[in-house]
Amino acid sequence: MSTTQSERLRVLLEPLVSSQGLDLEEVEVDSVGRKRVLRVVVDSDDGADLDAIADVSRALSAKLDETDAMGEGEYTLEVGTPGAERELKEHRHYVRATDRLVKFQLEDGGELVARILDVDDEGVDVEVPGVKGRKPTAKRLVFQDIAKARVQVEFNRKNKNEENAEEA
């Protein structure tokens, strides 16, 4: 997809997504044979449930039908959320990942897996899990030192409500 088409689609779709209380995260057009697929990724601070996805999908579909933004020919519109192992690219992504385990690729070539505790304008405070019975350690990462960050899926993590119930 050309940058011009990507920018046009973003400019066209972002106000509609925002009007639904969501953030437009990605716009991507893929060609598979003669078919084209327009993938739109949305999210919000509270997440996006199926009803919100359906509502924004209908709004985007109607807007795209009344414009020529996708040009001639058929295409499929897919609207979804970033998924469980989302890459963190913007400040709001880090805020939304608070209390989540994240794999950080550092600018110096290092790698770190840690839980985000707090986020501010300069960086993140993380907790590095202890290994072999050791206690977790706190660490500060500034955004300039982070080359890439991706949320990790945790299957055995207790949520805060379960932890609070056990402490009571």
Side-chain angles (χ1 to χ4, degrees):
M1 174 172 72
S2 72
T3 303
T4 306
Q5 184 182 22
S6 173
E7 290 169 357
R8 279 192 356 229
L9 285 168
R10 183 170 279 282
V11 167
L12 177 70
L13 303 179
E14 197 151 28
L16 281 172
V17 172
S18 294
S19 74
Q20 302 283 325
L22 300 170
D23 295 317
L24 179 61
E25 298 294 346
E26 292 179 38
V27 176
E28 179 182 299
V29 176
D30 285 330
S31 295
V32 182
R34 288 189 216 149
K35 295 188 174 195
R36 292 180 301 151
V37 178
L38 170 58
R39 287 187 184 88
V40 178
V41 178
V42 298
D43 201 7
S44 77
D45 290 343
D46 301 322
D49 64 17
L50 289 175
D51 290 334
I53 298 292
D55 291 344
V56 78
S57 182
R58 282 189 289 275
L60 295 178
S61 181
K63 186 66 164 182
L64 290 164
D65 287 348
E66 72 184 38
T67 68
D68 68 343
M70 287 299 293
E72 295 295 318
E74 293 181 19
Y75 66 92
T76 301
L77 172 63
E78 293 180 359
V79 180
T81 59
E85 290 187 349
R86 78 167 307 153
E87 186 172 348
L88 306 178
K89 296 179 180 178
E90 297 187 34
H91 186 270
R92 70 175 181 261
H93 299 163
Y94 287 90
V95 172
R96 291 174 184 162
T98 299
D99 294 325
R100 302 284 310 272
L101 197 63
V102 174
K103 183 176 186 178
F104 296 94
Q105 302 287 330
L106 304 176
E107 287 291 342
D108 66 6
E111 191 174 278
L112 177 69
V113 177
R115 186 167 314 283
I116 295 179
L117 300 176
D118 194 31
V119 181
D120 60 31
D121 291 340
E122 287 81 40
V124 294
D125 293 320
V126 298
E127 180 182 74
V128 181
V131 180
K132 296 182 181 179
R134 294 190 179 131
K135 291 187 179 220
T137 57
K139 185 170 177 93
R140 173 79 176 163
L141 296 174
V142 294
F143 288 123
Q144 292 119 325
D145 293 342
I146 301 170
K148 198 174 193 181
R150 183 174 299 278
V151 172
Q152 301 296 288
V153 173
E154 295 180 84
F155 294 105
N156 296 326
R157 171 131 167 100
K158 293 180 182 178
N159 68 34
K160 284 189 169 188
N161 293 338
E162 290 174 358
E163 289 174 5
N164 291 339
E166 285 182 4
E167 292 173 4

